[in-house]
Amino acid sequence: MPEGDTVYLVGKRFDEAMAGKTLLRGQFRVPQLATVDLSGREVLGVGTVGKHLFTRFSGDLTLHSHLMMDGMWDVYPAGAKWRRPGHHARVVLTAADVQAIGFRVHDLKLVATPEERDLVAHLGPDLLDPQWTDKHAARAAAALAAEPGRELGLALLDQRIMAGVGNLYKCELAFLLGVTPWTPVSEVDADHTVALARKLLLANASAGRFEQSTTGHLDRNRKNWVYERTRQGCFRCGGEVLVRTQGHDVQQRPTWFCPKDQHGPAPAG
């Protein structure tokens, strides 16, 4: 699943390409929206909240979409060949000189713009909110600490606590905190955890890069501390990195950790 900073950058690229453009065509390739015609509407802008994207049009109309595991918004010059299969396109927004294509995007809804907040009212504070304040941080920290016995990794992925953390940042945050993802939330400082999560996402979003680095290095084998490093070993100590499953059903995720540098419980191999 894309991390919050990836969604933020997708939204930024989409906004820069389409904001201020009038649609010549707005095609939906999903049954529930197949008869909708957006031609003639101006794209006012694209915003993100956590992992949700909102494309705003003139006439107080907003398109909501979510990337889930496999979705993406691509931008092309008008008439250019798409890099992804045409049968994966669910939305095609065409202006005079540019197209925005939503490939395998999910949760597509058209709503009145003032109703956007209803679709994200269940979320915790967005870690990349440009209006972030100490109140946002305190609210997220309080929500994180509210279930002290919960596994840290599961809590970090809970978008109701703070919006934007995905599996990569879950693993890397636990490493930087020095505990395994199965450690109870009560064993970490909630305020520090929220601040660190925002710092990591903000660093990558501000750099404008789609490949995240939590170590400060951009080389492929040096970008992360433990995430997907079962072959290379821990970036800090060089020791073995283990991978175990955390969560159940649709919440199940492969989870990497270093048993030397991270303390706390972990499932047996």
Side-chain angles (χ1 to χ4, degrees):
M1 180 177 290
E3 311 282 332
D5 55 334
T6 299
V7 179
Y8 173 85
L9 291 172
V10 168
K12 183 179 179 182
R13 180 180 62 184
F14 190 177
D15 179 78
E16 290 172 347
M18 296 294 290
K21 304 290 178 69
T22 298
L23 294 181
L24 301 179
R25 185 184 182 199
Q27 179 189 19
F28 292 95
R29 300 181 179 182
V30 291
Q32 69 270 26
L33 298 174
T35 60
V36 174
D37 182 10
L38 295 178
S39 60
R41 290 185 186 265
E42 180 183 355
V43 181
L44 301 182
V46 180
T48 59
V49 178
K51 301 182 181 184
H52 300 253
L53 289 97
F54 294 97
T55 308
R56 299 167 184 125
F57 305 102
S58 56
D60 251 1
L61 188 67
T62 293
L63 172 65
H64 167 266
S65 60
H66 197 295
L67 301 186
M68 294 293 187
M69 296 290 289
D70 55 353
M72 182 56 65
W73 280 96
D74 282 350
V75 175
Y76 302 90
K81 184 178 180 179
W82 297 350
R83 294 183 296 271
R84 305 174 195 269
H87 65 275
H88 289 170
R90 292 179 178 169
V91 188
V92 181
L93 303 178
T94 305
D97 60 343
V98 66
Q99 278 191 331
I101 317 297
F103 292 99
R104 288 186 167 180
V105 287
H106 302 264
D107 290 351
L108 290 168
K109 298 181 183 70
L110 279 171
V111 299
T113 298
E115 295 175 7
E116 285 181 17
R117 63 178 68 89
D118 296 337
L119 299 177
V120 292
H122 64 290
L123 298 179
D126 178 3
L127 289 166
L128 292 174
D129 187 340
Q131 306 301 320
W132 182 272
T133 66
D134 290 344
K135 289 184 178 179
H136 291 90
R139 178 184 158 203
L144 181 62
E147 295 185 68
R150 193 178 189 187
E151 293 178 2
L152 175 64
L154 298 181
L156 290 174
L157 289 180
D158 189 341
Q159 304 300 294
R160 298 170 300 177
I161 292 175
M162 51 184 169
V165 173
N167 199 45
L168 182 154
Y169 285 120
K170 176 198 83 172
C171 297
E172 297 291 280
L173 278 165
F175 176 85
L176 291 170
L177 292 168
V179 299
T180 69
W182 295 270
T183 298
V185 167
S186 59
E187 297 299 312
V188 301
D189 183 297
D191 292 308
H192 176 60
T193 301
V194 172
L196 184 57
R198 176 165 161 78
K199 179 181 178 181
L200 291 179
L201 267 73
L202 196 58
N204 285 304
S206 299
R209 56 177 178 248
F210 281 92
E211 288 200 40
Q212 295 98 338
S213 170
T214 53
T215 64
H217 298 280
L218 295 179
D219 296 344
R220 181 177 181 181
N221 292 324
R222 295 163 60 86
K223 292 187 303 181
N224 300 319
W225 298 100
V226 291
Y227 182 77
E228 293 188 338
R229 291 187 62 88
T230 46
R231 290 186 179 181
Q232 302 97 324
C234 174
F235 186 67
R236 175 181 290 165
C237 72
E240 183 182 23
V241 168
L242 302 179
V243 59
R244 299 287 186 267
T245 297
Q246 186 172 33
H248 302 282
D249 300 324
V250 296
Q251 301 300 323
Q252 191 175 91
R253 298 288 185 273
T255 301
W256 289 264
F257 68 103
C258 172
K260 180 178 178 181
D261 287 335
Q262 293 174 258
H263 305 287

